[in-house]
Amino acid sequence: MEKQADEAYYAAVAEAVKDVKAEKARSISSTSHVHDELSLEGLIAPTEEEMDTLRHVPDKINWSAYFIAFVELAERFSFYGSTVVFVNFIQQPLPKGSKTGAGGKHGTSGALGQKQQTSTGLTTLNQFWCYVTPLLGAWIADEKWGRFNTIAVAVGITLIGHIILIMSAIPPVIVHPDTALGILCVAIVVMGLGTGGFKANISPLVAEQQRHLHPFISETKHGERVIVDPTLTTSRIYMYFYFFINVGAMVGQISMTFAEKYQGFYLAYTLPTAVFLLCPLVLFLGRNMYRRSPPQGSVLGRSIKLWSYAARGRWSLNPVTTYKNFKADDFWESVKPSNIPEGKRPTWMTFDDNWVEEVRRGIKACNVFTWYPLYWLAYNQMVNNLTSQAATMVTNGVPNDVINNLDPLALIIFIPIFDIFFYPGLRRLGINFTPIKKITAGFLTGSAAMIWAAVVQHYIYKNNPCGNQVSTCVDAGGNAITSTLNVWIQSGSYVLIAFSEILASITGLEYAFTKAPKNMKSLVMAIFLFTSALAAALGEAFNSLAIDPNLVWNYGVMAVLSGIGGVLFWFTFRGVDSQDAALDRIAEGHYEE
């Protein structure tokens, strides 16, 4: 018996050693493949020492990435151009004698007359829906159709939604508020479905267009040897992708607020639809130019099985013990194929150790998004309550819902400054401004924006004859009486929000793409977007603060939540900060159906 046990033991050891050797061979083969791939292009792969000592720089951006960014520009023009007028369309009543909702130079445009609380509720619902549906769009893309095909179908669905939205604002319908409200709700549902399929996939698709997926050595015009780093290239792509987003958003919002004010809502919904038609055109013209990743089947199911397999025997009635077991160093090591004898591996374990590492990294990325809803709560004030705040100030003929375009304008100005001067300057000084540090700074900057809004709201109440009932303050003729403060005092909030987006929102897109497994990028991106949906749902809980006389408290609470979120975020993930470079260097895993 002892002899048989010894033989079984040595056989098991031999099998394990064999598996380890095989895994090392795969790893060496993967590294060799990278070197061969770079050599074919006449490029030199860096050594570990060079990776640690040479300065890292981004690569140039492919034209195909700009084509996709233009599609995003047109889609964001149509989305923000349409939704920017939702607040007035829902909240304000139809002006006397108007059949289009146009307010004219000295009036405020309106249609449904549902007050601020309903307006905030519906716009928040719209935001929630648009950021829940990407989960469905991601699943379809990763497992069924691929990103490009999913985007193409989503564009068709969104176009139908835009047509329904126009119907809610045509003169024969807009004079019947209940009917118009019902059609608006149908449009929100249909457009949200299309937006979900689009948003989950356009961001990963644009980042996939970069030329080189592995670091290589290059030389600057000054003779300096540098590492061309695909991680920094991804960061640059998303910086300018966000630039295109905000060009579309700003032009769409400004033009449609003036269309709403002087012509009516039917035009403010029709023009974005016309611009949206550029999306299918550009997608079709560039169809042979884009780099595409094919769908790879039940990747999500396989990842859940992997996590469940790793969690076996680690559960405890004591939650502290469970937490420690799940954080143990061997949690993922124990489910790497090289650590499981071939005869004992589940039939679904048709991947290598690197793919396990990719899944681990993707789950870490999803964990990093945990605190994001507290940031989005502050950001979302720009969509509804800050627009309503502008309506209670002196606008001198400028539409109240045009002021929030200070945010995209600031982004258009400062994104190139951050990319060309600020971030490279920090790298030259040897300061590693990692994603975790950027996101923390973004939370705190968002908090500062809300402090600014709270102070402005306080002085609005002080400088209005109706005091803290400013949104319903009217004279004997029923004309609105605003505070004496100029609307441009709001500028500080919008500029600070723009800074917070560069630091938190753009970095979140970058983090979602770089940390996700190749065959789960849409899903991880959708989970990042889903944090905005959670914020919209949480926002409904604060809806009672979105009315007079509670608005100072509203902005103050958002400031505190974003600030606390930033502090908690840093203390939760500062350990991940030191692992960032190592996580980015994980080799691509091998996965079979």
Side-chain angles (χ1 to χ4, degrees):
M1 290 293 290
E2 289 181 3
K3 183 178 179 182
Q4 289 178 342
D6 287 343
E7 287 176 351
Y9 169 76
Y10 288 120
V13 170
E15 185 67 29
V17 170
K18 179 183 174 183
D19 289 338
V20 170
K21 285 181 177 178
E23 186 57 42
K24 285 182 177 178
R26 282 194 293 268
S27 178
I28 291 168
S29 174
S30 175
T31 303
S32 176
H33 174 73
V34 170
H35 282 263
D36 291 344
E37 188 178 310
L38 291 172
S39 297
L40 287 172
E41 299 181 56
L43 303 173
I44 302 171
T47 63
E48 285 293 325
E49 182 182 356
E50 288 169 329
M51 285 292 293
D52 293 333
T53 57
L54 296 182
R55 186 166 64 91
H56 291 226
V57 299
D59 202 355
K60 293 179 180 177
I61 300 175
N62 261 353
W63 274 107
S64 58
Y66 286 111
F67 266 65
I68 294 169
F70 182 82
V71 172
E72 173 74 353
L73 182 153
E75 191 272 342
R76 291 291 90 181
F77 179 106
S78 65
F79 180 84
Y80 284 111
S82 299
T83 58
V84 70
V85 299
F86 274 8
V87 172
N88 282 352
F89 185 75
I90 299 165
Q91 178 177 337
Q92 307 295 341
L94 195 70
K96 292 179 180 179
S98 174
K99 292 185 177 180
T100 63
K105 184 175 181 180
H106 299 293
T108 300
S109 301
L112 306 183
Q114 297 292 320
K115 308 297 183 183
Q116 182 171 346
Q117 200 165 6
T118 302
S119 168
T120 300
L122 276 176
T123 53
T124 303
L125 175 64
N126 177 53
Q127 186 137 8
F128 174 79
W129 179 237
C130 286
Y131 288 106
V132 167
T133 52
L135 292 171
L136 175 62
W139 180 80
I140 291 172
D142 281 341
E143 302 203 11
K144 301 294 182 183
W145 296 347
R147 281 185 264 284
F148 183 82
N149 292 338
T150 305
I151 289 170
V153 173
V155 165
I157 294 172
T158 306
L159 184 59
I160 294 171
H162 273 291
I163 294 170
I164 296 171
L165 185 64
I166 294 170
M167 297 299 295
S168 72
I170 58 176
V173 174
I174 200 172
V175 294
H176 302 288
D178 291 341
T179 303
L181 179 61
I183 296 174
L184 171 68
C185 291
V186 173
I188 285 173
V189 171
V190 177
M191 289 174 66
L193 280 173
T195 299
F198 186 91
K199 287 297 291 179
N201 297 295
I202 197 75
S203 298
L205 185 65
V206 72
E208 286 178 338
Q209 305 308 307
Q210 55 185 295
R211 288 183 181 89
H212 306 107
L213 303 178
H214 308 290
F216 63 91
I217 294 176
S218 183
E219 195 170 290
T220 68
K221 60 183 179 180
H222 301 296
E224 179 190 5
R225 294 178 79 243
V226 294
I227 303 291
V228 178
D229 191 334
T231 303
L232 295 182
T233 307
T234 300
S235 179
R236 167 169 280 183
I237 287 173
Y238 278 128
M239 290 281 278
Y240 287 100
F241 181 68
Y242 215 76
F243 179 91
F244 273 73
I245 286 174
N246 283 279
V247 169
M250 185 180 74
V251 176
Q253 289 182 148
I254 291 176
S255 54
M256 293 313 104
T257 49
F258 278 97
E260 159 220 43
K261 188 170 183 66
Y262 294 104
Q263 293 297 322
F265 290 99
Y266 75 94
L267 185 63
Y269 293 152
T270 302
L271 291 178
T273 306
V275 172
F276 187 78
L277 290 172
L278 293 171
C279 292
L281 177 63
V282 176
L283 284 172
F284 178 78
L285 292 176
R287 67 193 182 282
N288 297 322
M289 183 192 306
Y290 308 132
R291 295 180 180 180
R292 312 185 200 178
S293 295
Q296 295 194 22
S298 55
V299 177
L300 175 60
R302 197 78 58 91
S303 301
I304 293 172
K305 285 180 180 179
L306 179 67
W307 183 88
S308 300
Y309 196 69
R312 292 180 311 161
R314 297 178 186 269
W315 297 95
S316 170
L317 293 176
N318 185 334
V320 175
T321 302
T322 301
Y323 177 80
K324 288 180 178 179
N325 289 342
F326 277 59
K327 288 290 184 181
D329 292 339
D330 68 339
F331 184 86
W332 292 105
E333 287 296 322
S334 66
V335 291
K336 287 183 176 179
S338 65
N339 292 327
I340 303 173
E342 191 168 349
K344 294 184 178 181
R345 294 175 192 171
T347 56
W348 48 264
M349 193 171 277
T350 56
F351 42 77
D352 61 9
D353 286 6
N354 284 337
W355 195 77
V356 176
E357 284 294 317
E358 284 193 277
V359 173
R360 179 177 73 90
R361 185 179 63 184
I363 290 176
K364 276 183 178 289
C366 294
N367 289 339
V368 164
F369 304 148
T370 303
W371 297 108
Y372 259 91
L374 298 182
Y375 166 73
W376 295 125
L377 277 173
Y379 171 83
N380 289 346
Q381 300 307 302
M382 181 179 67
V383 180
N384 40 53
N385 287 323
L386 285 179
T387 299
S388 299
Q389 185 186 71
T392 65
M393 304 171 78
V394 177
T395 62
N396 293 317
V398 177
N400 68 299
D401 43 9
V402 81
I403 308 302
N404 63 11
N405 286 283
L406 286 169
D407 170 67
L409 177 62
L411 285 163
I412 290 168
I413 294 170
F414 286 106
I415 282 175
I417 292 173
F418 270 67
D419 177 62
I420 298 170
F421 300 108
F422 184 63
Y423 288 156
L426 291 178
R427 287 196 291 270
R428 287 182 182 277
L429 293 172
I431 298 172
N432 187 16
F433 198 31
T434 60
I436 299 299
K437 293 186 179 77
K438 290 178 186 176
I439 294 167
T440 302
F443 272 75
L444 299 179
T445 311
S447 176
M450 291 300 98
I451 292 172
W452 187 294
V455 172
V456 169
Q457 189 65 48
H458 170 73
Y459 282 100
I460 287 173
Y461 284 158
K462 285 188 68 175
N463 290 273
N464 181 273
C466 299
N468 58 13
Q469 298 296 325
V470 63
S471 63
T472 56
C473 191
V474 294
D475 61 18
N479 300 307
I481 301 175
T482 65
S483 71
T484 56
L485 298 180
N486 191 288
V487 74
W488 297 108
I489 295 173
Q490 283 190 317
S491 301
S493 288
Y494 288 114
V495 172
L496 287 168
I497 286 174
F499 284 163
S500 77
E501 286 181 77
I502 293 173
L503 294 165
S505 183
I506 295 177
T507 307
L509 291 172
E510 171 197 338
Y511 206 84
F513 180 82
T514 58
K515 300 300 185 286
K518 183 179 180 180
N519 42 21
M520 291 177 64
K521 290 190 181 296
S522 289
L523 178 64
V524 175
M525 187 66 69
I527 290 171
F528 171 65
L529 297 173
F530 181 67
T531 62
S532 189
L534 292 176
L538 287 172
E540 292 289 354
F542 295 100
N543 213 5
S544 60
L545 294 179
I547 55 174
D548 292 328
N550 302 324
L551 287 166
V552 173
W553 279 100
N554 176 71
Y555 299 121
V557 168
M558 299 306 158
V560 170
L561 290 174
S562 186
I564 290 175
V567 173
L568 292 174
F569 178 86
W570 172 252
F571 280 104
T572 305
F573 299 112
R574 67 188 187 280
V576 177
D577 198 49
S578 60
Q579 304 170 19
D580 190 66
L583 290 172
D584 287 335
R585 293 179 194 176
I586 293 173
E588 185 179 315
H590 178 69
Y591 175 95
E592 293 179 358
E593 275 296 309

